[in-house]
Amino acid sequence: MKPFDNTFDNEPVALRRAALIAGWGLFFMTLFALYAIYFIFQTLILPEEIEMTIENIRANELQFRIGIGCYLVVIVLDVLVAWALYVFLKPINRDISLLAAWFRLVYSGIYAVALTHYFNVLQLLDSTDYIPLLEMDGVKAKTMLSLQAFNDTWAIGFVFFGLHIAFLGYLAFKSAYVPKILGILLILAGLSYLIDYFARFLFPENPLPVSTYFGWGELIFMFWLLFKGSKIVHYETT
């Protein structure tokens, strides 16, 4: 066994701190995202019911805005997690860790762009109050297009997210202080996202829900960061 040296500014402390920041960031990100998706947007947005969706959003505008706010919190936490994971994994390979961080940051940027489509929905529905000549059919069509544009833009971001997770898996697998099984699970999760979202664009009529079965690597990694990664003291050299 070989103790860490001080190459990275008291490395054990820095790694434990980065693990906690990344773990808690992922934890709260998950809570905010799940609340927004399942308790707000899935109850308001009914893809097959345009008029009901518009009525739901107009009648629950504050709830819709809270959902947007939750997504904004997720984006901020994504940036924080990208930095923390870079710090946590840079002793393995600084360049690849930086590349993985950049992939997550690009994903976060695309996510933010996607979110502007939800703001467009609010603007469209508000416009009917002071532009009475605007045809309602046009408002309905533009509203549903904006809602779909959010999903499509976010889907592009998931390609970069998949690359981020796959590179995390590679770094974890090569690491002497992260269990190799976590690296394998992360690689599988990253590849599953890539398969899912490339298939979404290439074969939109036949989606492949691969990530439903193999996309749990980051969630498992989150718990490991909180309960094990935050207690790193030393590692074995090969």
Side-chain angles (χ1 to χ4, degrees):
M1 304 293 289
K2 177 183 176 181
F4 280 119
D5 58 27
N6 293 322
T7 305
F8 290 95
D9 184 29
N10 196 359
E11 192 168 42
V13 175
L15 293 184
R16 290 197 297 267
R17 183 172 60 238
L20 276 174
I21 293 172
W24 283 115
L26 289 168
F27 177 78
F28 285 109
M29 181 191 311
T30 301
L31 291 183
F32 277 97
L34 290 177
Y35 177 75
I37 293 170
Y38 293 105
F39 292 95
I40 296 181
F41 294 121
Q42 283 197 1
T43 62
L44 298 181
I45 300 172
L46 308 174
E48 305 302 323
E49 300 288 341
I50 298 177
E51 292 185 0
M52 182 63 71
T53 295
I54 292 175
E55 183 179 334
N56 286 343
I57 296 173
R58 297 198 72 177
N60 301 277
E61 182 176 332
L62 178 59
Q63 188 179 0
F64 192 82
R65 289 183 180 275
I66 290 173
I68 293 174
C70 288
Y71 277 166
L72 285 173
V73 172
V74 171
I75 292 169
V76 172
L77 290 174
D78 254 321
V79 174
L80 181 65
V81 167
W83 167 78
L85 289 175
Y86 163 71
V87 172
F88 184 72
L89 295 170
K90 79 176 177 182
I92 304 162
N93 187 308
R94 187 187 186 99
D95 292 338
I96 295 179
S97 184
L98 181 62
L99 180 62
W102 271 111
F103 276 129
R104 190 168 197 126
L105 290 175
V106 171
Y107 160 74
S108 301
I110 295 174
Y111 192 173
V113 171
L115 201 52
T116 63
H117 293 294
Y118 275 177
F119 284 107
N120 288 342
V121 169
L122 292 174
Q123 292 173 344
L124 281 168
L125 297 184
D126 287 344
S127 70
T128 58
D129 292 333
Y130 58 87
I131 308 179
L133 296 179
L134 188 63
E135 294 183 1
M136 196 58 196
D137 286 343
V139 172
K140 293 177 183 177
K142 290 178 181 179
T143 298
M144 297 310 293
L145 285 173
S146 291
L147 292 172
Q148 185 58 46
F150 168 81
N151 293 328
D152 291 340
T153 306
W154 196 10
I156 295 172
F158 270 106
V159 173
F160 293 90
F161 182 75
L163 290 169
H164 163 76
I165 296 295
F167 276 109
L168 282 188
Y170 169 80
L171 290 168
F173 186 80
K174 300 293 288 186
S175 167
Y177 52 89
V178 179
K180 291 190 181 298
I181 185 63
L182 278 178
I184 294 172
L185 291 175
L186 286 166
I187 291 171
L188 288 174
L191 292 176
S192 71
Y193 280 114
L194 290 173
I195 292 170
D196 274 7
Y197 287 93
F198 271 111
R200 174 179 178 140
F201 293 112
L202 295 174
F203 311 106
E205 301 301 322
N206 298 288
L208 297 174
V210 179
S211 60
T212 302
Y213 305 102
F214 296 99
W216 299 93
E218 189 185 38
L219 186 64
I220 297 170
F221 189 43
M222 175 191 79
F223 287 112
W224 182 88
L225 287 167
L226 288 173
F227 295 106
K228 295 293 185 179
S230 59
K231 298 176 182 177
I232 289 175
V233 176
H234 47 66
Y235 70 98
E236 292 184 8
T237 57
T238 55

